[in-house]
Amino acid sequence: MSLVFPRPNTNAVHSKKDKRLMAEVNASPLKHFVTAKKKINGIFEQLGAYIKESASFLEDTHKNEELDPVTTDEQVQEVRGYLAKVAGIGEVLARRHMKVVFFGRTSNGKSSVINAMLCDKVLPSGIGHTTNCFLRVEGTDGNEAFLLTEGSEERKSIKTVNQLAHALHQDEDLDAGSLVCVMWPKAKCALLRDDLVLVDSPGIDVTTELDSWIDKFCLDADVFVLVANSESTLMQTEKSFFHKVNERLSSPNIFILNNRWDASASEPEYMEEVRRQHMDRCTNFLVDELGVVDRGQASDRIFFVSAKEVLQARVQKAQGMPEAGGALAEGFQARMFEFQNFERRFEECISQSAVKTKFEQHTVRAKQISEALRLIMDSVHIAAQEQRVYCLETKEDRQDRLEFIDKQLDLLSMDCKAKIKKITEEIRKLHVLVDDFHMDFHPSPVVLKVYKNELHRHIEEGLGKNMSERCSTTITSALQATQTDMIDGLKPLLPSPVREQVGKLVPRQCFSLSYDLACDKLCSDFQEDISFHFSLGWTMLVNRFLGPKNTRRALMGYNDQVPRPMALTPVSTSMPPFPQSSMTQEELMVSMVTSLASLTSRTSMGVLVVGGVIWKAVGWRLIALSVGLYGLLYIYERLTWTTKAKERAFKRQFVDYASEKLQLIVSYTGSNCSHQVQQELAGVFAQLCQQVDVTRQNLEDEITDMNSKIELLDGLQSKAKLLRNKAGWLDSELNMFTQQYLHHSK
């Protein structure tokens, strides 16, 4: 996510603005304070908006019940406290201004100096005690001047200096420690447009409450101006007051104006000597006694002026008359230049000092707040990231559990199907079951029918029992083990109270496979052949070499219209008939006679020739012996073809037929058994699922919750990262302000 801040996109705008501001600073040193104030106020507005956004973000995050705590109540309260502090600092900064306080003995010309700097007769001045309280002169955007007395919001309108002096003397509640604000229109005085406040004071020789004056009017002053009388020297009263100021403030900025220097024009021969004496005394006072400057800087803090002359010249210029017009003493231009030099040094000093004293502490505090907020947002970002990783891991774990539940039944069923294949082994042992069957046998149709029915029942019971013993036991044990594994596997997914009672909630029952082989229906179309067949007859010989099917196909191919005898027992019509495996003796003879008749016309001569050759080679005796043995073997087999032999032949034919049929139903029977196992497992699993359903639903709900949490945490991470970067951007702005204004001021 890209983060866009004003700074990277407004380089050109800032460059133009900085050039314009620097041009203003070059025009007037006081603009340095004005631009710095505008800059720091803008930064604090952005800081306030940022803290408000951060507080809202932290409160919403802290109150979000869907998330685990990523913020603490202490962090929320801390940011709320920052919001109140920044708002208070912003209000203070909006009221900040440069403040200069003028002190001196009575009638030293403090009010005249202020009027000269304002280029207008704003304050009453003259001989005697004209200023009976502290007068604070600051600009107003209106066009009318007015007074505000301490403790009152009433505006007293004034239009002239005389009205101001009259209003001050008429107010009996004013004393030397009172403060009166003189709100003068900025349009009438350029100096007041640059957030400069000038404070005039009563003579420090008229009261002993100097300490209260310092506490009330001097602690926030940026510059002090001591207006001395150049016709006398620095008095101890003046020195004592500034010693007290120096004790309360660290290295105050003090200027000394030796006013009424125009009096030196009457004695030009002593002018330089007197100037040097005043310079030495003032330098010693600033450097040695107060220690506020060194000797190299002292010359920039001590000036020799005539405020009255400067005021008169500037008023005349404002009225369109020449500055040097009127009764001005000799050397006016030098004194005028000295006053202008004082104003320049004063403006440079007060602008740099005010920026440092008014803004440095708040800048440091703002940097501390932005750094604290950056750390808070960084901790929120890290906590959200850790919680997101945990949510992803939890989501993956829940999904794995769901997949385990879904696949468990399939895996168990496939395992059971593999075990059911053992049914085929029991079908191969069918002849053992048939041999174990003993019952009176007779070839009559009625007895054969009963015999077949009993044999079917015997095979059904025996085969089913054997398969149950071989398969059911194995499958049942495997099934029970599978059920145990299933329960053990599902136990961790069950709620804790249910987990220990799962054995009672899911009772285990004895399981046995049921086999419905239906031998009576399966072998209903069995057609026995218990007639006598000589082992060396043509049919048996061909059958021995070609197999039953090929023999039938070879012999039946000559004449398909040979009639076939019916079975001795009735044939069921429920199942389709199967092809016979042998032919009767009569069919064979008819076939042979027909074959021989067809071959006589073509091969009779060849047979006679071959027979003659054999007769000639072996003799008639060997042929007669062979025929005799063949006949004896036939008689033997015919005599041994008893009822028992017929029963054996019947059983053998039945085994062959039934084995072939049972092979056809192995797959069906296996699927049936597999279905039984699946039903059993599904039943157990369904009972388990009744207990797991709550957990399963909880898992799905947890996955949904994890998805929503992850989405919330993604937004929270992005927001925390954005706010963290904003704190870094504000810190860079404060560093730029420090570098441009505070370090420059030093």
Side-chain angles (χ1 to χ4, degrees), residues 355-365 742 746:
V355 167
K356 182 176 178 59
T357 57
K358 301 296 191 299
F359 303 145
E360 184 176 37
Q361 182 180 358
H362 298 312
T363 302
V364 172
R365 184 57 179 152
L742 300 181
K746 295 179 182 180

Side-chain angles (χ1 to χ4, degrees), residues 719-735:
K719 185 68 173 179
K721 186 176 181 180
L722 176 66
L723 292 174
R724 182 187 64 184
N725 292 343
K726 279 188 177 180
W729 176 76
L730 285 170
D731 187 68
S732 66
E733 289 290 304
L734 289 167
N735 288 333

Side-chain angles (χ1 to χ4, degrees), residues 167-198:
L168 293 176
H169 286 286
Q170 290 296 322
D171 195 336
E172 298 179 355
D173 296 331
L174 295 178
D175 55 19
S178 300
L179 177 66
V180 175
C181 292
V182 180
M183 308 303 295
W184 200 258
K186 294 180 180 180
K188 295 182 179 181
C189 182
L191 193 64
L192 298 179
R193 299 171 192 168
D194 295 328
D195 290 332
L196 179 64
V197 173
L198 301 95

Side-chain angles (χ1 to χ4, degrees), residues 94-137:
R95 297 193 301 267
R96 285 298 187 190
H97 46 255
M98 295 173 285
K99 182 177 179 181
V100 54
V101 183
F102 293 82
F103 286 101
R105 289 181 291 126
T106 304
S107 298
N108 277 5
K110 300 182 295 295
S111 300
S112 297
V113 172
I114 294 175
N115 288 336
M117 294 176 68
L118 297 177
C119 302
D120 196 358
K121 294 181 180 180
V122 177
L123 300 179
S125 61
I127 299 175
H129 185 57
T130 56
T131 305
N132 60 343
C133 65
F134 279 85
L135 296 178
R136 174 190 176 106
V137 182

Side-chain angles (χ1 to χ4, degrees), residues 291-304:
V292 294
V293 293
D294 55 31
R295 293 192 177 275
Q297 297 172 333
S299 60
D300 293 333
R301 299 295 182 92
I302 303 170
F303 299 92
F304 297 85

